[in-house]
Amino acid sequence: MVRPTNLVRWGCRPKFGLPNIVSMALLCHCHEVTDRAIRAAVHEGARSLADVSEVNLATTSCGGCTDSVCRVIETALDGLLTGASARQ
């Protein structure tokens, strides 16, 4: 069982009393792809799950990470849109 104290020891910072595991979460265990790598792919132009998978192979083996990877892609794209609209 992963305890919040272990997560802090491993470098995750608590936020509002809960561990912020999204700060460096390993989402695709088959290809060792983190949420940061997925956000970087979106920042560099990936706009879909297929685009991200082409860059870092996330979701291309067992597929167990597909939902998590899609959520990170959506969040990253929302961030791009929010940032773009704030600059206009």
Side-chain angles (χ1 to χ4, degrees):
M1 179 174 151
V2 177
R3 295 189 167 92
T5 54
N6 290 339
L7 291 172
V8 171
R9 189 177 323 136
W10 298 329
C12 299
R13 302 287 180 250
K15 183 176 183 179
F16 306 114
L18 299 173
N20 184 10
I21 60 173
V22 179
S23 64
M24 180 68 166
L26 183 62
L27 297 181
C28 177
H29 291 262
C30 296
H31 296 286
E32 299 180 355
V33 180
T34 65
D35 63 315
R36 287 183 183 177
I38 294 166
R39 286 195 302 270
V42 170
H43 183 72
E44 293 171 7
R47 295 296 179 258
S48 67
L49 178 59
D51 292 345
V52 169
S53 297
E54 187 175 313
V55 171
N56 57 34
L57 301 177
T59 75
T60 61
S61 286
C62 75
C65 60
T66 302
D67 290 341
S68 298
V69 171
C70 286
R71 281 194 298 272
V72 172
I73 292 169
E74 288 174 12
T75 302
L77 288 172
D78 287 345
L80 287 178
L81 293 175
T82 302
S85 64
R87 285 182 285 232
Q88 293 179 358

